[in-house]
Amino acid sequence: MIKSLRGMNDILREDYERFTYFISLATEVAQNYGFHFIETPLLEETALFKRSVGESSDIVGKEMYQFIDKGENDVSLRPEGTAGVVRAFVEQKLDRAGGIHRFFYYGSMFRYERPQKGRLRQFHQFGVESFGVASVYEDATMIMMIADILKRCGIGYRLQINSLGDQNCMPEYRNALVSFIESIENKICEDCQRRKSTNPIRVLDCKNEHCQSLYENAPKLINSLCKECESDFNKLKQILNDNGVAFEIDTNLVRGLDYYSKTAFEFVSDNIGSQSAIAGGGRYDRLVEFLDGRPTPAVGFAMGIERLMELIVMPEITRKGYYIGAMDTEAVDLVVQLTQIKRNKTKVTCDYKAKSLKNHLKAADKVHARFCCVIGENERNDNTIWVKDLETKTEKVMKLKDF
């Protein structure tokens, strides 16, 4: 028997209902904030991710599904969504058009890593990207949008924020951090030793508990911010406080991708084990320029849908639509005709197999239909249909023309 690949799961039954419920809800919130849907390809040139995500990242270095296609192109399945959206933004010359452009997207991402609870090789993200707004108010808006989505899903969270500085204050901090890393280099893991020369700030994101204990004494970027970055961070805290969004400052919070600067944020849950991050993002003002576009301020976030699935509080199931069935084989054709007519206006489930009334009622209940409608020999002879309202428990026989 052929099975699905490791870390690539099917979405069926209850998971499908939760998945589509979340997408519908998150889409509604994003549209309420003035964002518009964008769809980008699953497959992109590998160079896109090397230049955006960064060759020093674990994603590019270890986890991408990368291959040479039949046209001798070096391509990869997308490991995250931002790079593709920025590529589309530049390719469509929106960076030259000026103005504000706000997008949301959802879909599959791919990373070859060890599958575990909440972390798959094919997983799904809901993401949002905003271009053309340099104000920290846009950063706060991103955070408040996530908070709104999680609130509507009934999901509790803790919000962690930090500032990663910019090109004015990052170089001096980088030198100080490298000096600190060198002082403990023989005690840290191989990944941290490698990151020291490629992207030293990423050592703060190391998942090794021993390394984390050593970094407690590392210099804090938040203490080295330039005046502009410090002012923006203070303003961010004020906006969140003014709008009732609780937060905590995590001075070791860095994002897993190389393109972030200034604001960084992460929403975490204490109910899903060690993989506690359920959403995160930040500002990436230089990424458009890195991908050959005009300098454009940008900020965004992504939410891991699989990590949210078991946390989502589903609304009470409401009955909707019709279930139409036949009690003898002679009624099947008529049942199909009625189904097609009804489907022009509402949801209809049709059973082509003749069954007893009891079995039709069970099937109608299983699909949460509001009305169970059945045609047997008596109904065929009288041009009628038996209808039961499964919510009010009332039943009646109607003329087909009225139905």
Side-chain angles (χ1 to χ4, degrees), residues 3 11 14 19 34 40 77 83 103 105 121 138 149 180 205 207 210-211 236 285 291 296 299 311 316 341 375 396:
K3 297 182 178 180
I11 299 178
E14 184 181 351
F19 184 89
T40 62
L77 290 169
F103 304 105
Y105 59 88
R121 289 178 174 173
E138 193 77 347
I149 292 172
F180 174 82
D205 192 41
K207 300 302 185 285
H210 176 68
C211 290
L236 174 66
D285 288 344
L291 294 179
T296 306
V299 61
L311 303 176
E316 187 176 340
I341 294 171
I375 296 178
K396 60 182 176 181

Side-chain angles (χ1 to χ4, degrees), residues 53-258:
V53 176
E55 294 197 54
S56 67
S57 69
D58 288 345
I59 294 173
V60 171
K62 304 176 182 179
E63 299 171 358
M64 285 208 302
Y65 279 84
Q66 179 182 356
F67 59 94
I68 305 298
D69 71 8
K70 293 181 179 180
E72 299 300 314
N73 302 298
D74 186 352
V75 298
S76 294
L77 290 169
R78 64 185 185 191
E80 56 93 42
T82 301
V85 175
V86 175
R87 190 267 312 145
F89 178 78
V90 174
E91 186 174 345
Q92 300 302 320
K93 297 182 172 58
L94 297 179
D95 58 320
R96 299 176 181 274
I100 299 171
H101 304 271
R102 295 184 172 108
F103 304 105
F104 73 89
Y105 59 88
Y106 52 84
S108 295
M109 311 293 163
F110 302 83
R111 297 182 193 175
Y112 193 87
E113 53 187 346
R114 184 172 65 87
Q116 52 189 296
K117 185 178 181 181
R119 186 183 289 273
L120 302 172
R121 289 178 174 173
Q122 179 180 351
F123 58 99
H124 299 82
Q125 284 186 343
F126 180 90
V128 160
E129 317 292 347
S130 170
F131 301 95
V133 184
S135 171
V136 71
Y137 280 96
E138 193 77 347
D139 305 24
T141 294
M142 293 288 167
I143 292 172
M144 291 188 287
M145 191 190 309
I146 299 175
D148 281 351
I149 292 172
L150 295 177
K151 181 179 179 181
R152 292 186 60 178
C153 287
I155 298 175
Y157 63 83
R158 288 185 294 113
L159 166 62
Q160 300 170 340
I161 63 173
N162 193 21
S163 176
L164 305 180
D166 61 12
Q167 64 269 31
N168 295 315
C169 48
M170 174 57 79
E172 183 178 343
Y173 172 75
R174 178 189 173 113
N175 292 336
L177 181 60
V178 169
S179 296
F180 174 82
I181 295 171
E182 288 175 343
S183 72
I184 58 170
E185 192 163 1
N186 61 339
K187 300 178 182 179
I188 58 179
C189 68
E190 290 184 5
D191 279 342
C192 286
Q193 292 174 8
R194 172 177 55 83
R195 287 167 176 161
K196 185 199 77 171
S197 56
T198 57
N199 188 1
I201 196 174
R202 284 291 316 286
V203 303
L204 302 177
D205 192 41
C206 181
K207 300 302 185 285
N208 183 302
E209 290 185 7
H210 176 68
C211 290
Q212 279 299 324
S213 67
L214 295 172
Y215 297 141
E216 288 179 5
N217 298 317
K220 308 301 182 187
L221 176 53
I222 202 168
N223 298 327
S224 304
L225 298 177
C226 62
K227 286 186 178 180
E228 180 183 339
C229 290
E230 184 177 15
S231 175
D232 277 354
F233 193 59
N234 287 335
K235 187 64 178 179
L236 174 66
K237 291 185 288 184
Q238 178 210 312
I239 298 168
L240 296 177
N241 280 325
D242 289 347
N243 288 276
V245 180
F247 63 87
E248 53 194 58
I249 297 172
D250 182 352
T251 55
N252 279 0
L253 172 64
V254 298
R255 301 297 300 140
L257 310 175
D258 286 0

Side-chain angles (χ1 to χ4, degrees), residues 31 33 39 64 88-89 133 176 204-205 297 381 389 393 400:
Q31 289 174 334
Y33 275 72
E39 173 76 23
M64 285 208 302
F89 178 78
V133 184
L204 302 177
D205 192 41
N381 293 335
D389 186 329
K393 308 301 182 184
L400 282 179

